[in-house]
Amino acid sequence: MAADERLEMNSRPPRPGRGIGPAGVGFSSLWLRLAGLCTGTTAALDAILAIVAWVATGPAAAGSVAFAAVVVIAFFAISLLVGHFVGRRNPAGAIGMFAVVYLIKIVGFAAVLIWMGTPNWINPPWFGAAGIVTVVVWQAVELWGFSRVRLQIFNDPEEPGPGASPAPGATPRGGSHG
């Protein structure tokens, strides 16, 4: 994939009052775009799965699919929203905060689901299948989305100016000593 295509997903034309990136392009939120892409893809797939569940088993199965989809989408979207808000102020710290929030969410969602219990209308096989399918599809779309962007984490090395001595171990022709 060309660098221009990678930059395209991670950039938008600058708006007044927004910073401009190193290539002269203003950056919008990667995190929000990923949240939208993942939510749209998984919601569409879950809608199809809910229709199949309704036809095959009944309305409780379709409700189970919808409930599982909402829980999983909310679980993963929270991380991307935190990445968006933290990334605006500290881009290098966004991934670390993403991981911390993930841990907090696991405990929080587990506590809510245990506190809530299993509603009588839940169809466990459809709920479980929809949860697994939604997680796998969300993660695949998120990985695909992240693989299409180019995030600079470290500064590029500065090239020495004219007359500067070469790097230690380099020969005048650009090679290195043995």
Side-chain angles (χ1 to χ4, degrees):
M1 171 176 267
D4 292 343
E5 292 174 17
R6 281 191 209 116
L7 183 61
E8 184 177 309
M9 180 165 178
N10 199 25
S11 64
R12 298 270 172 131
R15 290 186 290 186
R18 302 270 323 248
I20 294 181
V25 179
F27 291 99
S28 64
S29 178
L30 160 69
W31 303 97
L32 292 180
R33 275 197 306 258
L34 281 174
L37 179 65
C38 293
T39 300
T41 304
T42 54
L45 180 71
D46 286 325
I48 293 168
L49 189 57
I51 291 168
V52 170
W54 188 308
V55 170
T57 311
S64 298
V65 168
F67 184 59
V70 167
V71 168
V72 171
I73 289 170
F75 183 84
F76 285 109
I78 288 170
S79 291
L80 292 175
L81 290 174
V82 167
H84 166 70
F85 289 113
V86 171
R88 295 170 88 183
R89 297 212 180 351
N90 181 8
I95 297 293
M97 186 55 80
F98 188 80
V100 168
V101 168
Y102 191 83
L103 255 156
I104 293 169
K105 286 186 314 180
I106 289 173
V107 173
F109 271 94
V112 166
L113 290 175
I114 289 170
W115 170 75
M116 218 175 84
T118 304
N120 292 333
W121 56 269
I122 289 285
N123 183 314
W126 281 105
F127 180 82
I132 291 168
V133 166
T134 306
V135 166
V136 169
V137 170
W138 181 286
Q139 291 293 294
V141 172
E142 193 172 65
L143 284 171
W144 178 84
F146 271 121
S147 74
R148 298 293 180 251
V149 296
R150 184 175 158 174
L151 300 173
Q152 184 172 355
I153 297 173
F154 302 102
N155 291 332
D156 290 331
E158 294 184 26
E159 294 192 25
S165 61
T171 64
R173 289 188 219 157
S176 63
H177 299 297

